[in-house]
């Protein structure tokens, strides 16, 4: 007979092994199913988070504002020393870097003596209990030194520097300097566990920053003054040496200096040249005036038109007298004749006046001649002097060139000295008068409320995180859950029908419920299982049924007893055979203290009276065949024998239903040996517990043994959890509370 293939072996991977689609009802069902775990995880996370939150030391933040690039009065403009434009973004960023520098932080730490506070000095903090749990602290010093973990001994000074460096790191972590956009304002914030200390540190940091600016400016001015003083000392010596060199050279080469600082010969040469030009002009002018007078006298011209004659007051006076006498002559000529004595006397006076005028004109001509002679002599004298000086100047020209070079060097040194002297006066005058480029515009106030932690907000976050973590745990467990919970899952993963959903109940209660409470949910589930077995083979009556499972403790024996008692109570002749030869439990479950002869004894003996190897359950008229006393038999050989086949045939003839309680498939091969001899096999699966891959492996073995499996019976189903929400859109036990009115549990 060709072994049949399991249904899930022929199913498409996308259908047989696909995970069920998530839906809102499914998610709600998962949460409802694991609500206790969800609440436990949620409460645990929230409590732990709240404890940690309230253990955190609150921190207070103080804020101070400073304005950089503040306008200040310039008493003296010394840009070379104190200049600095702080209105640009780069300048503001530079000041932020200065504010957060380690040097400035160390000054604040030193001034406020923060090393005496445990907040900034970890050595002062009390060791917590957790520090004792550090395995490193358990190691001996010799072992630490061998591993290189032992610290090198430090001097007191080195230890102090290390403490200061650590305190600086802690300080800078608490300090923040942030430029306010669109302004030259920098916001200084400091966090501390002490609100008063936070405000004090913020204000002190701003003050020390401003003082540090002043000290930097004072130091720059002091350095500039010292440098200028050194330069002035050197320049003063250079000026003296260069001027001394000029005077020595001039004296050595007999070079005199004129009024304007030029050489004496050059000055004389320039002066004589100027005088010579003037002398030549004077001589030419005198010559021209003399020539004019002589030409007028020689040619008989009107001498009266000459400039010298016209400018002579004496001649002009004589001319006026002559004109007056001539007027009288004209008046008297009408009355007197030319021979009249008065006329003769007046004519004589006119002649004397004219003679005097001519004599005066001759004197003027003689004066012009003398003036020309003097101008000519002066010109000749100046020309002679010029020639002499030009001769001397040619010989001293080279000396003058060298002298001028020395004078230029001396002059340059003098100018440089005066420039440095003026700068020195400016810097020395402004020393101690520098103003800071920043000022505090808002001092830090003592904060009234802690800035961190924001407990209300963090509690909300912890609440949300607790929900997320709890949900993650639920979904993780759901994803890792290997079990099957519904007929739909059985159908999806195994490709087989679910023929029974057996409610969760203790073994003893379940066995007794079948008899004492025939209308309970368990009894109804067993009845439904019986009907499903019958309907699984409509053409042939099911006489023999084998009940097995994948692994132990899945409730197969309890289910076998419940099924047997339920069938017997309905009037059928039923026998249950305990075929689990290694771990028989039927007698134990029925509360029997003594073991009776049973299956193994029957099969190894020649006894023909089967009744001697069974007993009757008086409560339900159920016949029971225990395992027996023959422990030495080999189950494989026993179940594979002809006696076993004959035994099954006899049981099917004598009873309406024969139920075999078999061991788990994955444990031993007994179930596979008898599988082909049974009319039907019920495969028991523990609800939400047995791994799917184990179930599939067991079913594969059963199908390889030609087992006629009626279906899957889900054992120990929690109906309240299962029916609280429709699991995976399942219609089975939907709203279990409504179904409960039909049961009498």
């Amino acid at each position: 007979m060709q072994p049949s293939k399991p249904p899930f072996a022929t199913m498409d991977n996308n259908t047989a092994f696909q995970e069920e689609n998530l839906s809102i009802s499914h998610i709600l069902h998962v949460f409802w199913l694991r609500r206790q775990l969800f609440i436990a995880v949620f409460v645990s996370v929230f409590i732990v988070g709240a404890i940690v939150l309230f253990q955190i030391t609150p921190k207070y933040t103080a804020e101070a504002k400073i304005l950089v690039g503040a306008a200040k009065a310039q008493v003296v403009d010394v840009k070379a020393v104190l200049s600095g434009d702080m209105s640009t973004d780069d300048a503001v960023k530079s000041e932020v870097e200065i504010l957060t520098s380690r040097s400035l932080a160390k000054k604040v730490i030193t001034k406020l003596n923060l090393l005496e506070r445990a907040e900034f000095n970890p050595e002062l903090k009390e060791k917590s209990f957790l520090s004792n749990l550090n395995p490193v602290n358990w190691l001996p010093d010799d072992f630490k030194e061998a591993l290189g973990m032992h610290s090198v001994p430090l001097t007191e000074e080195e230890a102090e520097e290390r403490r200061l460096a650590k305190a600086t790191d802690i300080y800078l972590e608490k300090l923040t300097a942030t430029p306010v956009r669109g302004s030259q304002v920098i916001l200084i914030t400091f966090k501390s566990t002490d609100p008063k200390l936070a405000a004090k540190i913020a204000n002190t940091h701003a003050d020390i920053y401003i003082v540090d600016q002043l000290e930097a400016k004072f130091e720059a001015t002091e350095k500039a003054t010292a440098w200028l003083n050194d330069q002035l000392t050197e320049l003063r010596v250079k000026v003296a040496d260069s001027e001394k060199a000029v005077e020595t050279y001039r004296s050595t080469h007999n070079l005199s200096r004129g009024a304007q600082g030029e050489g004496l010969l050059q000055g004389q040469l320039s002066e004589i040249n100027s005088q010579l030009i003037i002398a030549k002009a004077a001589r030419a002018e005198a010559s021209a005036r003399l020539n004019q007078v002589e030409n007028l006298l020689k040619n008989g011209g009107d001498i009266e038109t000459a400039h010298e004659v016209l400018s002579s007051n004496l001649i002009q006076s004589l001319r006026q007298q002559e004109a007056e006498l001539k007027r009288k002559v004209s008046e008297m000529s009408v009355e007197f004749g030319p021979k009249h004595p008065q006329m003769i006397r007046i004519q004589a006076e006119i002649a004397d006046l004219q003679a005097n005028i001519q004599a005066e004109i001759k004197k003027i001509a003689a004066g012009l001649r003398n003036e020309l002679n003097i101008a000519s002599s002066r010109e000749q004298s100046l020309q002679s002097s010029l020639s002499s000086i030009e001769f001397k100047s040619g010989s001293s020209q080279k000396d003058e060139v060298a002298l001028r070079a020395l004078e230029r060097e001396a002059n340059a040194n003098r100018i440089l000295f005066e420039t440095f002297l003026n700068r020195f006066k400016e810097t020395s005058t402004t020393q101690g008068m520098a103003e800071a480029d920043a000022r505090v515009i808002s001092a830090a106030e003592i904060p009234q409320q802690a800035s961190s932690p924001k407990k209300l907000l963090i509690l909300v976050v912890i609440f949300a995180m607790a929900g997320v973590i709890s949900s993650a745990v639920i979904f993780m467990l759901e994803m890792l859950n290997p079990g099957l919970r519904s007929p739909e899952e059985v159908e999806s993963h195994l490709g087989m029908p679910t023929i029974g959903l057996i409610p969760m109940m203790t073994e003893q209660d379940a066995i007794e419920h079948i008899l004492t409470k025939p209308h309970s949910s368990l009894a109804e589930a067993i009845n439904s299982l019986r009907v499903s077995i019958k309907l699984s083979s409509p053409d042939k009556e099911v006489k023999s049924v084998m009940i097995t499972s994948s692994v132990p403790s899945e409730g197969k024996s309890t289910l076998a007893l419940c099924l047997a008692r339920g069938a017997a109570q309905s009037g059928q002749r039923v026998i249950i055979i305990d075929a689990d030869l290694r771990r028989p439990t039927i007698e134990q479950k029925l509360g029997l203290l003594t073991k009776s002869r049973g299956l193994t004894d029957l099969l190894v003996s020649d006894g023909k009276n089967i009744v001697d190897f069974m007993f009757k359950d008086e409560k339900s008229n159920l016949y029971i065949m225990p395992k027996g006393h023959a422990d030495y038999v080999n189950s494989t050989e026993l179940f594979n024998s002809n006696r076993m086949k004959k035994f099954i045939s006899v049981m099917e003839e004598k009873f309406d239903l024969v139920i075999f309680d078999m061991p788990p498939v994955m444990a031993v091969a007994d179930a596979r040996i008898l599988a082909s001899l049974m009319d039907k096999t019920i495969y028991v699966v523990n609800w939400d517990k047995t791994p799917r891959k184990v179930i599939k492996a067991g079913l594969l073995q059963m199908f390889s043994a030609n087992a006629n499996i009626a279906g899957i019976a889900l054992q120990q189903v929690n109906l309240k959890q299962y029916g609280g929400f429709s699991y995976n859109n399942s219609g089975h036990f939907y709203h279990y509370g409504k179904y409960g009115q039909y049961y009498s549990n």
Side-chain angles (χ1 to χ4, degrees):
M1 182 178 179
Q2 185 70 21
S4 60
K5 294 183 179 180
F8 54 83
T10 59
M11 294 179 65
D12 187 82
N13 290 332
N14 294 328
T15 57
F17 297 100
Q18 67 181 353
E19 296 294 332
E20 59 272 8
N21 295 326
L22 291 179
S23 63
I24 295 178
S25 60
H26 174 65
I27 294 174
L28 292 176
H29 177 78
V30 169
F31 275 91
W32 179 256
L33 185 66
R34 302 184 183 272
R35 60 187 181 278
Q36 294 180 347
L37 177 62
F38 179 86
I39 294 173
V41 175
F42 181 91
V43 172
S44 300
V45 172
F46 186 81
I47 291 176
V48 171
I51 291 174
V52 172
L53 173 63
F54 286 99
Q55 288 295 321
I56 297 175
T57 304
K59 294 182 179 180
Y60 298 85
T61 302
E63 297 180 350
K65 292 182 180 179
I66 61 173
L67 174 66
V68 297
K72 53 186 180 293
Q74 295 289 346
V75 179
V76 179
D77 186 12
V78 193
K79 294 182 179 179
V81 181
L82 303 177
S83 62
D85 184 10
M86 301 181 69
S87 60
T88 62
D89 291 340
D90 292 339
V92 174
K93 291 179 181 178
S94 300
E95 295 306 309
V96 170
E97 293 299 322
I98 295 174
L99 281 166
T100 56
S101 63
R102 296 184 67 85
S103 59
L104 196 63
K106 289 180 180 179
K107 290 180 181 180
V108 180
I109 293 172
T110 303
K111 182 176 181 180
L112 298 180
N113 199 18
L114 297 181
L115 286 175
E116 299 298 327
R117 291 180 173 268
E119 184 178 355
F120 299 92
N121 190 353
E123 296 178 1
L124 300 179
K125 292 182 179 180
E126 296 182 359
K127 291 186 177 180
S128 63
F129 174 75
L130 296 177
S131 62
N132 298 325
L133 301 178
N134 189 355
V136 178
N137 297 330
W138 303 344
L139 300 176
D141 294 339
D142 296 338
F143 190 71
K144 290 182 181 178
E145 187 173 357
L147 295 177
M149 301 171 58
H150 198 276
S151 59
V152 180
L154 301 175
T155 62
E156 183 61 29
E157 183 179 354
E158 291 174 340
E160 185 66 22
E161 290 180 357
R162 179 169 293 185
R163 283 193 292 270
L164 180 59
K166 183 62 177 177
T168 304
D169 294 336
I170 297 173
Y171 183 93
L172 292 177
E173 289 178 358
K174 298 173 179 290
L175 175 70
T176 304
T178 307
V180 179
R181 174 176 285 186
S183 68
Q184 294 173 237
V185 176
I186 299 178
L187 178 64
I188 301 174
T189 59
F190 194 87
K191 293 183 179 181
S192 175
T193 56
D194 186 350
K196 294 182 179 179
L197 182 62
K200 186 176 182 180
I201 290 177
N203 290 327
T204 304
H205 195 92
D207 293 339
I208 290 183
Y209 163 72
I210 295 175
V211 172
D212 188 65
Q213 266 196 353
L214 293 174
E215 289 179 351
K217 290 179 179 294
F218 179 79
E219 184 179 355
T221 307
E222 189 176 20
K223 288 182 179 179
T225 303
W227 182 81
L228 288 173
N229 190 27
D230 295 339
Q231 295 298 317
L232 285 174
T233 302
E234 295 179 5
L235 289 174
R236 189 178 288 109
V237 175
K238 286 184 179 180
V239 170
D241 292 343
S242 60
E243 289 182 346
K244 184 178 180 181
V246 171
E247 295 301 329
T248 301
Y249 190 88
R250 182 180 287 112
S251 177
T252 301
H253 294 82
N254 195 22
L255 298 174
S256 300
R257 183 168 57 188
Q260 300 300 326
E262 69 276 4
L264 182 60
L265 290 177
Q266 293 295 329
Q268 290 177 353
L269 184 62
S270 177
E271 182 68 22
I272 291 175
N273 217 356
S274 299
Q275 291 181 8
L276 180 59
I277 293 173
I278 294 173
K280 286 182 178 181
R283 193 255 314 157
E285 182 181 0
S287 177
R289 287 160 56 196
L290 178 61
N291 290 333
Q292 182 185 17
V293 173
E294 287 180 347
N295 289 333
L296 290 175
L297 290 174
K298 185 185 291 185
N299 298 325
D302 189 3
I303 193 63
E304 301 294 335
T305 60
H307 174 72
E308 284 72 11
V309 175
L310 292 175
S311 60
S312 176
N313 293 329
L314 179 58
I315 292 176
Q316 294 300 326
S317 176
L318 294 174
R319 289 295 186 189
Q320 288 179 359
Q321 292 177 13
E322 182 184 6
E324 183 66 24
L325 290 177
K326 285 182 177 182
R327 184 183 61 79
K328 288 182 179 180
V329 169
S330 297
E331 290 178 353
M332 291 176 64
S333 63
V334 178
E335 185 178 354
F336 302 104
K339 301 298 188 178
H340 191 279
Q342 292 187 358
M343 291 291 290
I344 295 173
R345 182 179 58 80
I346 294 173
Q347 290 292 339
E349 291 179 0
I350 293 173
D352 291 338
L353 289 173
Q354 291 179 346
N356 291 334
I357 291 172
Q358 290 297 322
E360 188 63 28
I361 292 173
K362 290 179 179 179
K363 289 180 180 179
I364 292 173
L368 290 174
R369 193 173 292 108
N370 290 333
E371 184 179 349
L372 177 61
N373 292 333
I374 293 171
S376 298
S377 298
R378 177 175 175 75
E379 180 182 0
Q380 292 175 0
S381 176
L382 290 172
Q383 186 66 46
S384 177
S385 298
L386 180 63
S387 299
S388 177
I389 292 174
E390 285 178 348
F391 177 77
K392 292 181 180 179
S393 176
S395 63
S396 63
Q397 188 173 7
K398 295 182 180 179
D399 296 335
E400 288 286 348
V401 172
L403 179 62
R404 284 195 295 272
L406 292 174
E407 287 178 341
R408 285 194 299 271
E409 182 179 358
N411 188 41
N413 289 335
R414 189 182 302 106
I415 293 173
L416 185 60
F417 174 76
E418 291 175 354
T419 301
F420 273 74
L421 182 61
N422 291 332
R423 184 66 65 189
F424 175 76
K425 290 179 179 179
E426 289 179 356
T427 54
S428 60
T429 301
T430 57
Q431 189 171 3
M433 298 174 59
E435 297 181 24
D437 293 324
R439 62 186 177 91
V440 178
I441 61 174
S442 178
E445 298 179 353
I446 299 176
Q448 301 299 320
Q449 295 181 347
S451 58
S452 64
K454 303 288 186 182
K455 293 186 177 180
L456 181 59
L457 178 61
I458 295 178
L459 280 175
V460 174
V461 174
I462 292 175
F463 187 88
M465 289 300 298
V468 172
I469 293 174
S470 302
S471 301
V473 170
I474 297 302
F475 279 110
M476 182 179 65
L477 292 177
E478 181 67 18
M479 292 177 63
L480 296 176
N481 176 46
L484 298 172
R485 292 201 190 107
S486 69
E488 285 74 18
E489 285 188 356
V490 172
E491 180 71 25
S492 174
H493 292 280
L494 304 179
M496 299 186 66
T498 301
I499 59 175
L501 289 171
I502 312 303
M504 181 175 63
M505 194 173 295
T506 62
E507 293 181 355
Q508 196 61 37
D509 290 342
I511 296 172
E512 295 298 327
H513 262 56
I514 293 298
L515 301 177
T516 59
K517 297 183 178 181
H519 300 293
S520 64
S521 58
L522 175 63
E524 294 298 337
I526 295 299
N527 292 334
S528 176
L529 177 60
R530 289 170 49 220
V531 172
S532 298
I533 295 172
K534 184 177 180 180
L535 294 177
S536 65
S537 181
D539 297 331
K540 180 182 177 181
E541 183 180 3
V542 177
K543 302 284 287 185
S544 58
V545 175
M546 181 176 70
I547 299 178
T548 186
S549 63
S550 301
V551 292
S553 303
E554 292 198 72
K556 60 176 181 57
S557 298
T558 303
L559 178 62
L561 272 173
C562 292
L563 179 62
R565 274 190 167 182
Q569 197 173 22
S570 66
Q572 288 183 297
R573 285 175 55 84
V574 183
I575 184 172
I576 181 170
I577 302 172
D578 193 348
D580 190 349
L581 304 186
R582 293 168 181 81
R583 293 183 60 191
T585 59
I586 297 298
E587 290 180 287
Q588 179 184 355
K589 292 181 182 298
L590 292 176
L592 301 179
L593 299 178
T594 59
K595 292 185 178 180
S596 305
R597 292 192 303 169
L599 178 62
T600 56
D601 300 318
L602 174 63
L603 293 179
V604 298
S605 67
D606 294 332
K608 296 182 180 179
N609 191 4
I610 299 177
V611 179
D612 296 335
F613 298 92
M614 67 178 71
F615 62 89
K616 187 176 182 181
D617 180 19
E618 300 297 335
K619 295 182 180 180
S620 61
N621 295 323
L622 171 66
Y623 289 92
I624 301 169
M625 181 177 288
K627 172 249 181 185
H629 297 290
D631 296 331
Y632 56 87
V633 297
N634 186 303
S635 61
T636 302
E637 295 179 356
L638 186 65
F639 290 158
N640 206 22
S641 63
N642 291 326
R643 287 189 176 186
M644 187 66 189
K645 296 178 181 178
K646 184 177 179 181
F647 169 73
I648 294 174
S649 299
V650 172
M651 291 295 103
E652 289 179 349
E653 292 177 359
K654 292 183 174 294
F655 294 94
D656 297 328
L657 180 61
V658 181
I659 300 176
F660 282 81
D661 180 21
M662 300 299 297
V665 176
M666 302 298 293
V668 292
D670 297 356
R672 285 183 287 166
I673 296 174
L674 292 184
S676 60
L677 303 178
M678 299 290 108
D679 292 339
K680 292 292 181 181
T681 298
I682 300 175
Y683 203 88
V684 178
V685 174
N686 199 338
W687 180 79
D688 195 28
K689 184 176 181 181
T690 308
R692 300 169 187 174
K693 59 182 180 180
V694 175
I695 301 172
K696 292 177 183 178
L699 288 173
L700 281 173
Q701 293 190 24
M702 293 300 292
F703 279 110
S704 65
N706 293 327
N708 189 356
I709 300 177
I712 304 297
L714 290 178
Q715 176 70 301
Q716 295 294 318
V717 178
N718 189 328
L719 296 180
K720 289 185 178 180
Q721 291 184 358
Y722 182 84
F725 290 93
S726 59
Y727 184 80
N728 196 28
N729 297 323
S730 175
H732 292 77
F733 294 98
Y734 182 77
H735 290 304
Y736 173 76
K738 295 182 178 179
Y739 296 157
Q741 57 186 327
Y742 289 93
Y743 305 138
S744 177
N745 291 326

